[in-house]
Amino acid sequence: MNDIGKLIQKLNTFRDERDWRQFHNPKDLAISLSLEAAELLEDFQWKTSEQAIEENLENIKEELADVMIYALMLSHDLDLDVKEMILEKMQKNAQKYPVEKSRGRKLKYDNL
Amino acid sequence: MNDIGKLIQKLNTFRDERDWRQFHNPKDLAISLSLEAAELLEDFQWKTSEQAIEENLENIKEELADVMIYALMLSHDLDLDVKEMILEKMQKNAQKYPVEKSRGRKLKYDNL
Amino acid sequence: MNDIGKLIQKLNTFRDERDWRQFHNPKDLAISLSLEAAELLEDFQWKTSEQAIEENLENIKEELADVMIYALMLSHDLDLDVKEMILEKMQKNAQKYPVEKSRGRKLKYDNL
Amino acid sequence: MNDIGKLIQKLNTFRDERDWRQFHNPKDLAISLSLEAAELLEDFQWKTSEQAIEENLENIKEELADVMIYALMLSHDLDLDVKEMILEKMQKNAQKYPVEKSRGRKLKYDNL
């Protein structure tokens, strides 16, 4: 079993020990993911990237972990294969943003 | 090299081919992560979990992939080890939510 | 001077007394608005609307106020007239969602 | 009737003409508010405030209006008086951030 699979297994054990899967409906997991992303962003509020890293790196690390934890649990509950899902999306992004058209440019694909 | 490491490597190749790392400062990556989490949540807006899955599973999959992609890139750029970071946070969560106190309860740790 | 104008005036006095306008660039105000919206949403996490209202109404009220406060400050700083801006958007929405096509339907306008 | 009251009245007419209040439960309104705040923030993604304003002011205006629209509808549905709620929160903020301690400082109140 690969890394991601092992992490998901541990997360499921964590949830089952606490009998928490009953609360983990996909809609509330998506809400939770978005809240953790906001807590991560809060570490950068009123700051440059440099200031945020200097002052908040420990907390950034924890919030980023929470984001990943919810993303992994939601993927698992929806029967999505995390690795495959990311590779497929990267392929789609590669088509949306062809190298020659998008090099050095931050335009949205519909403006390329 | 493990799964997560290989995905990060591919993401870096993707960024380098497009010369995009110049835009990828941590603050804007944290903003982007939060925007992708919102796009994921949008698939659940005005819907039950069941309706959202029935109508939007393909898009949910793509948005969830985008969330993971930004989380992986940001972790890499901050020199954070994804697997270790998740395991550490799970350990911290295990202390915040002891099994016996939190079983079957969705209270926040400060209300346990 | 109308209600909204008076509120904005009070908010500006509040900021000026603390010399905070130096921090209030529009990008960080937009981040802050999004963070307050997440804090509001947190009151509904793992809950039905009814449970959230019963348990968290006082906090919902405060977070909603924070959302409005940032929205008013950002509007002011961008020289946008709040009332006019809302009326214009409602007119645009009325065209996007004609009464006869959208009555009782929650579809996005591009699916009508 | 004041400005805010008139705007809320118009929003209610808009909703009733489309028979949309049946969808407007507070939890989904809070989700929607958070999604609109993300769309506003998207106008600032990968940009300085100045670039965002130069390139996206029209869209910023629309997203800010959407944020206000959801905030007003949610306030109304929860029987909250918008003006009073903002004034109360400002009073609370004034206590959390006393002028002499917070002048020119962007620290959170618990670090003052």
Side-chain angles (χ1 to χ4, degrees):
Chain A
M1 183 182 275
N2 64 36
D3 266 23
I4 297 172
K6 276 187 215 148
L7 285 169
I8 290 177
Q9 204 174 46
K10 278 177 194 291
L11 288 167
N12 284 337
T13 303
F14 186 95
R15 296 198 273 179
D16 285 335
E17 285 172 351
R18 284 156 189 80
D19 196 16
W20 277 0
R21 288 218 222 180
Q22 56 178 317
F23 308 126
H24 284 189
N25 67 82
K27 184 168 183 169
D28 277 303
L29 286 175
I31 288 175
S32 303
L33 179 45
S34 149
L35 301 183
E36 297 298 340
E39 292 183 12
L40 172 65
L41 185 54
E42 193 175 358
D43 282 328
F44 294 89
Q45 187 188 21
W46 313 122
K47 296 186 171 67
T48 63
S49 291
E50 292 68 30
Q51 291 168 331
I53 291 167
E54 196 186 318
E55 297 173 27
N56 298 330
L57 187 56
E58 264 319 292
N59 200 57
I60 288 170
K61 194 173 152 186
E62 293 194 10
E63 302 301 351
L64 204 40
D66 279 332
V67 165
M68 299 285 298
I69 285 171
Y70 276 114
L72 291 173
M73 293 194 300
L74 181 53
S75 304
H76 173 269
D77 291 356
L78 296 174
D79 276 324
L80 300 170
D81 182 290
V82 173
K83 192 179 149 190
E84 206 181 282
M85 166 178 100
I86 293 176
L87 292 173
E88 273 178 37
K89 190 52 169 54
M90 286 183 68
Q91 222 164 357
K92 198 160 174 174
N93 287 347
Q95 289 171 341
K96 263 164 54 172
Y97 298 100
V99 168
E100 64 281 11
K101 280 198 182 172
S102 48
R103 196 195 314 272
R105 306 173 69 195
K106 57 184 171 181
L107 289 176
K108 279 240 144 182
Y109 64 94
D110 41 2
N111 290 325
L112 282 182
Chain B
M1 186 182 276
N2 64 37
D3 267 24
I4 296 172
K6 276 186 214 149
L7 286 168
I8 290 176
Q9 203 175 46
K10 278 176 193 292
L11 287 167
N12 284 337
T13 304
F14 186 95
R15 295 198 272 179
D16 285 335
E17 285 172 352
R18 284 157 189 80
D19 195 16
W20 276 0
R21 286 217 224 182
Q22 57 178 315
F23 307 127
H24 284 188
N25 66 82
K27 184 168 182 170
D28 277 303
L29 286 176
I31 289 175
S32 303
L33 179 46
S34 148
L35 300 183
E36 297 299 340
E39 291 184 13
L40 172 65
L41 185 53
E42 193 175 0
D43 283 327
F44 293 88
Q45 188 189 21
W46 313 123
K47 295 185 172 65
T48 63
S49 291
E50 292 69 30
Q51 290 168 332
I53 292 167
E54 197 187 318
E55 297 173 26
N56 298 331
L57 187 57
E58 264 320 293
N59 200 57
I60 288 170
K61 195 174 150 183
E62 292 194 12
E63 302 301 351
L64 204 39
D66 278 332
V67 165
M68 302 281 299
I69 285 170
Y70 276 114
L72 292 173
M73 293 194 301
L74 181 52
S75 304
H76 173 269
D77 291 357
L78 296 174
D79 275 324
L80 301 170
D81 181 290
V82 174
K83 191 178 148 189
E84 205 181 286
M85 164 179 101
I86 294 175
L87 291 174
E88 272 178 37
K89 190 54 169 54
M90 285 183 67
Q91 222 164 358
K92 198 159 175 175
N93 287 346
Q95 289 170 341
K96 261 163 56 170
Y97 299 99
V99 168
E100 62 281 11
K101 279 198 183 172
S102 49
R103 196 196 313 273
R105 306 174 69 193
K106 56 186 169 178
L107 290 176
K108 280 239 144 183
Y109 63 93
D110 40 4
N111 290 323
L112 282 183
Chain C
M1 182 181 278
N2 64 35
D3 265 23
I4 297 172
K6 277 187 214 149
L7 285 170
I8 289 176
Q9 204 174 47
K10 279 176 194 288
L11 287 167
N12 284 337
T13 304
F14 186 95
R15 295 198 273 180
D16 285 336
E17 285 172 350
R18 286 158 188 78
D19 196 16
W20 277 359
R21 288 218 221 181
Q22 57 178 317
F23 308 126
H24 285 189
N25 66 83
K27 184 168 183 169
D28 277 305
L29 286 175
I31 289 175
S32 303
L33 179 46
S34 150
L35 301 183
E36 296 299 341
E39 291 184 11
L40 172 64
L41 185 53
E42 192 175 359
D43 283 328
F44 293 88
Q45 188 189 20
W46 314 123
K47 295 187 172 65
T48 62
S49 290
E50 291 70 29
Q51 289 167 333
I53 292 167
E54 197 188 318
E55 297 172 26
N56 298 329
L57 187 56
E58 264 319 293
N59 200 58
I60 288 169
K61 194 172 151 185
E62 292 194 13
E63 302 301 349
L64 204 40
D66 279 330
V67 166
M68 300 284 299
I69 285 170
Y70 277 114
L72 291 173
M73 293 195 300
L74 181 52
S75 305
H76 173 269
D77 291 356
L78 296 174
D79 275 324
L80 300 170
D81 182 291
V82 173
K83 191 178 151 189
E84 206 182 281
M85 165 179 99
I86 293 176
L87 291 173
E88 272 179 38
K89 189 54 169 53
M90 285 183 68
Q91 222 163 356
K92 199 161 174 176
N93 287 346
Q95 289 170 342
K96 262 165 55 172
Y97 298 99
V99 168
E100 64 280 10
K101 281 199 182 173
S102 49
R103 197 195 314 272
R105 305 174 69 194
K106 57 185 167 177
L107 289 176
K108 280 239 144 180
Y109 64 93
D110 40 3
N111 290 324
L112 281 182
Chain D
M1 185 181 277
N2 64 36
D3 266 24
I4 297 172
K6 277 187 212 147
L7 285 168
I8 290 176
Q9 203 174 47
K10 279 177 193 290
L11 287 167
N12 284 336
T13 304
F14 186 95
R15 296 198 273 179
D16 285 335
E17 284 172 352
R18 285 157 187 79
D19 196 16
W20 277 359
R21 288 218 221 180
Q22 55 178 316
F23 307 126
H24 284 189
N25 66 82
K27 184 169 183 170
D28 277 303
L29 287 175
I31 289 175
S32 303
L33 179 46
S34 149
L35 301 184
E36 297 299 341
E39 292 184 13
L40 172 65
L41 184 53
E42 194 175 0
D43 283 328
F44 294 88
Q45 188 189 21
W46 314 124
K47 294 186 172 66
T48 63
S49 290
E50 292 69 29
Q51 290 168 330
I53 291 167
E54 197 187 318
E55 298 173 26
N56 298 331
L57 188 57
E58 264 318 294
N59 199 57
I60 289 170
K61 194 173 152 184
E62 292 194 12
E63 302 301 351
L64 204 40
D66 279 331
V67 164
M68 302 282 299
I69 286 171
Y70 276 114
L72 291 173
M73 292 194 301
L74 181 52
S75 304
H76 173 268
D77 292 355
L78 296 174
D79 276 324
L80 301 170
D81 183 290
V82 173
K83 191 179 151 189
E84 205 182 286
M85 165 179 98
I86 293 175
L87 291 173
E88 272 178 37
K89 190 54 170 55
M90 286 183 67
Q91 221 164 356
K92 197 160 174 175
N93 287 345
Q95 289 170 340
K96 262 163 55 171
Y97 298 99
V99 168
E100 64 280 11
K101 281 198 181 174
S102 48
R103 197 197 311 273
R105 307 174 68 194
K106 56 185 169 177
L107 289 176
K108 281 240 144 180
Y109 63 94
D110 39 3
N111 291 323
L112 282 182

